[in-house]
Amino acid sequence: MRRRQFLKGVGVGLAASLSYRAFAQAAPQVRWRLVSSYPRSLDTLYGGAEDLAKRVAELTGDRFQIRVYQAGEIVPGGQVLDAVQQGTVEAGHTYGPFYVGKNPTLAFDGGVPFGMTYRQHNAWMRYGGGLELLRQVYADFGVLQFPGGNTGAQMGGWFRKEIRTLADLKGLRMRIPGLGGLVMGRLGVVPQTLAAGDIYPALERGTIDATEFSGPYDDEKLGFYKVARYYYYPSFWEPSAQLSFLVSQREWQRLPKEFQEAFQVAAAEVNLTMMAKYDAQNPPALNRLLKAGVRLRRWPAEIMKKALEEARALYEEQAAKDATYRKVYSAYWAFRNEQYRWFAVAELGYESFAFPTV
């Protein structure tokens, strides 16, 4: 009896193994190319795309493989949306506000001046209708969007000279793209758009007077502290900065459902782990920068108040002439205000006491 049961078990196991092997051999093998807006040296930003590719391969038994290309290998970092839209590649990893020239509403994908923090933005995207609204915008480009990481609250940039008043901003040439650049432009700054690899040479040569990029971990890697000693905070133009994975809708529809699910799971993981990495990496990086002689400065209240005023004016002006923008902006700002009221009670109530005790 035991021998018959054993042989029966072996037979079932063998059949299952052969069945799985046959399925694996018959299952489609998919290979995609994904272009990043970032150089490989920025291991957390660029690394988000590599993490996605690794997890997708693991979840599909290597049947769905994605090869990641850094900025400039196939297209420049600022042309990722174009590359996916035109079918040059199947997918990309980028930052929505890079493309406000194509559609200003895309700013709300990444985050806007005086907008929401990482947690608040994530809540809007997942449970506040933000993802559905932004996907409608991206659909015009034939692209499907997935949240794909976040830097959290960024820093306010690197300056050659100290900024004490609004007057000190007049005529200042600063690398700052997107809506942040538009707001700073209304304060007298001359905004410039430069790819990550072009910023340091421009700052060193004096082609620009200041730059912003991300936070201590990335900024240290890019070496800005060597040529600009004043480091300002906070980045009121990026209280959070969500990256996105962009996928060709045509290619997405061709994927088996199980591959679609694997991609969605991997993207969601990246959206969580990138923020955790930055929270672990930024504190020691800031300590190293301060030891190297960097002078940390908080933005004067005068500049913050004027920037908020100009940001709101900018939003209202755009909303008055663009129905799509108005729809997304209204939903975003209403959710933002509700979040602010709650966080002012619980989070700020704790943080304003506890954080200064360190």
Side-chain angles (χ1 to χ4, degrees), residues 260-283:
Q260 292 179 347
E261 291 177 351
F263 190 98
Q264 292 179 85
V265 167
E269 288 183 9
V270 171
N271 199 43
L272 173 66
T273 57
M274 183 182 290
M275 186 70 262
K277 287 179 182 179
Y278 273 118
D279 282 341
Q281 294 164 341
N282 278 327

Side-chain angles (χ1 to χ4, degrees), residues 28-346:
Q29 302 292 322
V30 176
R31 287 180 173 82
W32 275 11
R33 297 191 301 173
L34 182 152
V35 289
S36 171
S37 280
Y38 304 98
R40 190 173 286 106
S41 59
L42 295 175
D43 58 302
T44 307
L45 289 171
Y46 175 83
E50 289 194 318
D51 289 346
L52 172 103
K54 182 174 182 290
R55 286 295 287 140
V56 165
E58 291 172 348
L59 292 168
T60 62
D62 286 328
R63 290 176 292 127
F64 183 9
Q65 298 180 10
I66 301 173
R67 182 174 177 181
V68 180
Y69 294 84
Q70 67 176 332
E73 281 191 288
I74 295 180
V75 295
Q79 295 180 19
V80 170
L81 174 57
D82 306 74
V84 179
Q85 180 186 12
Q86 294 165 9
T88 305
V89 294
E90 291 81 9
H93 192 216
T94 189
Y95 184 49
F98 287 163
Y99 310 100
V100 293
K102 295 178 179 295
N103 189 323
T105 313
L106 292 177
F108 294 99
D109 183 27
V112 298
F114 296 99
M116 291 186 268
T117 64
Y118 161 72
R119 283 174 55 194
Q120 295 164 351
H121 189 90
N122 211 33
W124 180 64
M125 293 294 287
R126 295 292 183 182
Y127 300 106
L131 186 59
E132 292 77 11
L133 287 170
L134 268 300
R135 282 184 170 176
Q136 291 173 21
V137 179
Y138 277 111
D140 291 339
F141 300 91
V143 166
L144 186 62
Q145 173 259 8
F146 300 85
N150 205 304
T151 67
Q154 296 193 0
M155 293 292 282
W158 298 86
F159 295 78
R160 289 180 173 278
K161 63 178 184 178
E162 194 165 6
I163 307 298
R164 294 187 177 90
T165 68
L166 274 168
D168 293 331
L169 294 176
K170 302 298 181 183
L172 196 79
R173 298 163 299 175
M174 181 178 182
R175 182 272 181 189
I176 177 169
L179 282 187
L182 294 179
V183 171
M184 291 297 277
R186 294 168 79 115
L187 301 185
V189 169
V190 181
Q192 311 283 316
T193 300
L194 296 171
D198 298 329
I199 302 173
Y200 182 88
L203 196 59
E204 185 180 37
R205 291 193 303 264
T207 308
I208 57 174
D209 306 302
T211 186
E212 63 81 45
F213 189 76
S214 178
Y217 184 73
D218 288 334
D219 291 356
E220 181 188 31
K221 282 180 173 290
L222 293 170
F224 302 142
Y225 67 97
K226 299 174 184 176
V227 287
R229 307 298 283 180
Y230 291 98
Y231 198 22
Y232 275 80
Y233 73 96
S235 169
F236 49 79
W237 51 84
E238 285 175 315
S240 76
Q242 177 192 278
L243 280 67
S244 288
F245 290 108
L246 305 184
V247 174
S248 162
Q249 288 186 340
R250 181 179 62 255
E251 297 298 331
W252 181 258
Q253 291 165 3
R254 294 175 178 173
L255 284 180
K257 183 178 179 181
E258 63 189 285
F259 287 8
Q260 292 179 347
E261 291 177 351
F263 190 98
Q264 292 179 85
V265 167
E269 288 183 9
V270 171
N271 199 43
L272 173 66
T273 57
M274 183 182 290
M275 186 70 262
K277 287 179 182 179
Y278 273 118
D279 282 341
Q281 294 164 341
N282 278 327
L286 180 59
N287 288 337
R288 290 192 298 269
L289 290 170
L290 294 176
K291 289 178 180 178
V294 167
R295 298 165 186 174
L296 193 62
R297 296 289 187 271
R298 186 185 180 96
W299 282 114
E302 173 194 24
I303 292 177
M304 295 283 284
K305 289 177 182 177
K306 184 62 175 175
L308 174 58
E309 177 185 322
E310 293 296 342
R312 291 303 308 275
L314 181 65
Y315 301 149
E316 295 296 335
E317 290 167 13
Q318 185 63 39
K321 58 185 179 183
D322 185 330
T324 300
Y325 186 97
R326 182 167 60 252
K327 180 181 179 181
V328 177
Y329 163 57
S330 298
Y332 179 95
W333 210 258
F335 195 89
R336 173 251 196 206
N337 289 345
E338 188 175 58
Q339 290 287 299
Y340 272 28
R341 285 189 286 269
W342 159 239
F343 273 68
V345 173

